[in-house]
Amino acid sequence: MRDKNKNPFPCDEETITQTLAVHCKGITKSYGNGNEVVNALNGINLDVFTGQLTMLVGPSGCGKTTLISIMAGILDQDDGDCVVFGKSFKDMNEFEKTLYRGNQVGFVFQSFNLIPTLTAVENVAIPLLIRRTDRKLALEKAAETLKNVALSERINALPSQLSGGQQQRVAIARSLVHEPRLIVCDEPTSSLDHETGFRIMELLQYAALCADRALVIVTHDPRIFDFADRIAKMDDGRIVEVFDSPEDMKKS
Amino acid sequence: MRSVAIKMLVGDRAKYLGIIMGLTFASFLITEQLAIFTGLMTRTFGFITDTSIADIWVMDPKVQFVDDIKPMQDMQLYRTRGVEGVEWAVPLYKGLLKAKLENGNYQTVILIGLDDATLVGAPPVMLGGQSADLRRSEAVIVDTVGAAGKLSKPSPLPGAKRIPLAIGDNIEINDNRATVVGICRVSRTFQSQPVVYTTYSRATTFAPKERKLLSFILVKAKPGEDINALAARIRKVTGLAAHTRDGFKELTVRYYMKYTGIPINFGMAVLLGFIVGTAIAGQTFYNFTLENLKHFGTLKAMGASNKTLLGMIVLQALMVGGIGYGLGVGAATIFGKLVKGTELAFRLPWQLLVITAVAITLICIFAALLSIRKVIKLEPAIVFKT
Ligand SMILES: Nc1ncnc2c1ncn2[C@@H]1O[C@H](COP(=O)(O)OP(=O)(O)OP(=O)(O)O)[C@@H](O)[C@H]1O
Ligand SMILES: [Mg+2]
């Protein structure tokens, strides 16, 4: 699936190291209270490595979004713990978790979540602005990142003036601009047509590869399974199987 | 993140203008109503303002406001003059009398009688003639509004404009002949009748014969004398009421505040401005935040702290508040300029701007608080919910 020559983030694939990025153990999470409790996660054990694209797949409602929300630090687990880049969630207070999100995590959403009144480059600069980077520097860095996703022509366009695929590329640039070590994507291609989704996946894959960075992608879409380095199959709040390649999954 | 906050706000043109309009309207209404109220209250003591030479006004203790005349005996003047610290004390007559116009019509006028020797309390602005002309026989000075209005004469040509009373014209006051020797301008007061100035002695001959005719005693303090202390001394010696100029203004305003519906009416209008402003601006601002909640959630997920988001909302509130305040106060000032010289009372001292600023700030704080609460409570996990 990988074509080295197309990679906008050129690097030597030999140097890619696969170290443990996220280590989750015994994660449980339930929503609601009283009679209406939904057990979304029932003891999840999962390791995510840098230099790899890990996919979370499984039927609707099995807890994929809940799991990446916890890994990204935007949702607290009920029980169990995740160690992210050597640091345990249990040892982080609210402030440290906010810092973790701001410094280590990049987000890509199904519906892009761009701020409609900001231009592409301004949207991309947000993670840097949150980290109090000087505005001018932030915009320069954002423009540079947009170049890597092949949008250098449209940096001053508003989201409404961009196609869905272009908007998702802006969102990817935004998830990369502050060089986070974990990128979480929830259904990044399901608002896009097949061809565009394919391009987006290529981009995400390259982005993950050449840095000390892990990528976790939630998807329903079997057509993009081939991009995965590892696939974790979920059902009913559990990881039922982990495959080390798309081929393994197809065999099973 | 300041630039992001501003762009989020300004980018949504319709909402942004809605919020600004609400705040502008509120700030205009509050400022304008307060200014009219202040203008009206200033009118109540217009006569005291015009007689600014007097430090202290001495009067019957039962007098409640400047148009409330309770005459005293002449001997009170001499007792007042005897009080230590009094530089001079002069009599002042003020009363409502009937004037007969050349065409035989009657019109009530406010007759002011000034001390014959000094003419203390003479009209502040003379438009024609001089106040010294009052010393001529039968002389009176008439205020220009009265001269052009209620004291004017019908034109001999049918349908043509009325002819204002002019210098040299005669009127009859309480069956005494009076000749106009001057036209003056006086501060507008709550009394709508024409104002006619003459000397004290002539005023007392014009007035119906009564035992007591002295309306006020105007007192000037000796240089360096503490006016409040002197007023207290006059009260003690004479048993009369003695108010400093400002004290008498205050007494008058307080009377109107207490016994008229004016404060209630204006209070309601100001309150209405405040409520409407809060409702419109608060609502639209809150709505704006609600609509942007998803974006605030995205920012929160991406690591923006509650403090940062709070700062953004406060900045947005300050911005719309500042602009709305500026536009509203500006509009009120223009309104004030437009109505200048008309019947409408309008006075805009800087204190009113402070009051409006406080009111607008309150509206913005209220609006921001609602929004802040919502954003602080926001779960960043909503970002993955489509
Ligand atoms: N905020 C919430 N309140 C109550 N229940 C929730 C909430 N969020 C998720 N759930 C429930 O938790 C379970 C897991 O939800 P989750 O969103 O993680 O599933 P998912 O695998 O992402 O599904 P999909 O593929 O449809 O996006 C579901 O049964 C869902 O109804
Ligand atoms: Mg989901």
Side-chain angles (χ1 to χ4, degrees), chain A residues 16 58-59 73 107 146 179 187 189 191 214 217:
Chain A
I16 297 170
F107 292 87
L146 277 171
E179 293 169 11
E187 315 268 6
T189 59
S191 304
I217 295 182

Side-chain angles (χ1 to χ4, degrees), chain A residues 64-65 186-187 218, chain B residues 384:
Chain A
K64 305 179 296 290
T65 299
D186 198 359
E187 315 268 6
V218 166
Chain B
F384 283 131

Side-chain angles (χ1 to χ4, degrees), chain A residues 72-118:
Chain A
I74 57 175
L75 189 67
D76 293 332
Q77 74 278 12
D78 293 340
D79 226 325
D81 192 16
C82 284
V83 179
V84 289
F85 305 101
K87 198 149 195 280
S88 154
F89 275 161
K90 286 206 165 142
D91 296 339
M92 291 188 199
N93 59 25
E94 199 50 48
F95 176 69
E96 287 170 314
K97 251 191 170 171
T98 307
L99 277 187
Y100 161 68
R101 296 200 297 265
N103 293 331
Q104 311 270 42
V105 186
F107 292 87
V108 178
F109 309 95
Q110 176 179 346
S111 47
F112 325 133
N113 290 22
L114 300 173
I115 295 180
T117 52
L118 300 188

